[in-house]
Amino acid sequence: IFVSKFERMMSDEKIYTSTNEGDVALPDCGYVKAGFPSPADDMPFPTLDLNRRLVRNPASTFYMTVSGDSMSGDVVDDGDLLVVDRSIEATSGCLAVCAVDGEFTLKRLQIENDYALLLPANQKYKPIRVTAENNFSVWGVVRYVIKKV
C-alpha cells in the first residue's frame, strides 16, 4: 500500500534529481564582505559547479521546492529550493522531508523512544506526533536551503 501511495505522492510533487547533464559553470568570485566595501579586482575568477559544491551523493540527492510557511521560523520560506539527500541517516534535530500517511511534509525531526515529533517552526502550526499507527518514513534530510532574495 505504501508503495502505491508513495508513487502517487511523487507524481504530485515537484522533485528534481541532481544531474551533471547540462552543467553550468558559474564564476566563483570568492567571498564578499558584509561590512566595509573592499576594492574589486579585475582578474579572472575560477568557476564554481553548484552540483559539486552542494551534492555529496548524486544518485540519492534531489531538489524540492518548499510550499507553505510552517518552517518560516527556521528561515525556510515558501518558494525556497531544498537540496535533499536520501542517503543521510535522519537524527533528532535534523530538518527532514517526511512522508506521513501519504503526504509529504518538511519539519524538524525529534525522535523519542516510542514516537517521533515533527516540529514546525511557525506558531500557527502544531507539532505532528507520529506513532506506530502512522504510515511514516523519513524521505530525506535537507542539506541546503537555496533562497531567492
Side-chain angles (χ1 to χ4, degrees):
I1 293 174
F2 180 72
V3 173
S4 63
K5 283 184 181 177
F6 181 72
E7 288 172 353
R8 197 168 53 248
M9 288 185 332
M10 291 290 292
S11 67
D12 294 341
E13 299 295 328
K14 291 184 179 178
I15 302 173
Y16 306 95
T17 60
S18 80
T19 177
N20 289 333
E21 295 177 21
D23 283 345
V24 176
L26 303 173
D28 182 355
C29 298
Y31 295 95
V32 61
K33 293 185 182 220
F36 293 103
S38 64
D41 296 332
D42 288 333
M43 57 187 232
F45 296 106
T47 60
L48 169 69
D49 181 334
L50 289 176
N51 276 326
R52 284 197 184 110
R53 180 84 179 243
L54 303 179
V55 177
R56 270 193 206 162
N57 306 301
S60 62
T61 301
F62 297 83
Y63 298 97
M64 299 178 84
T65 303
V66 175
S67 175
D69 64 352
S70 73
M71 298 308 294
S72 62
D74 279 352
V75 196
V76 179
D77 299 306
D78 188 67
D80 287 352
L81 186 65
L82 305 177
V83 180
V84 181
D85 192 334
R86 297 194 69 197
S87 70
I88 296 175
E89 184 175 341
T91 58
S92 200
C94 75
L95 188 59
V97 175
C98 301
V100 182
D101 297 329
E103 301 288 332
F104 276 132
T105 188
L106 173 68
K107 299 288 184 276
R108 184 111 8 226
L109 181 63
Q110 181 178 322
I111 302 170
E112 300 295 338
N113 289 334
D114 57 346
Y115 65 94
L117 285 175
L118 304 181
L119 303 173
N122 183 333
Q123 292 181 353
K124 290 186 342 187
Y125 301 91
K126 294 181 180 180
I128 300 169
R129 184 183 173 104
V130 179
T131 64
E133 287 91 43
N134 297 101
N135 190 354
F136 171 76
S137 69
V138 175
W139 193 84
V141 175
V142 175
R143 299 265 303 132
Y144 293 95
V145 178
I146 301 170
K147 304 186 80 52
K148 182 178 180 180
V149 294

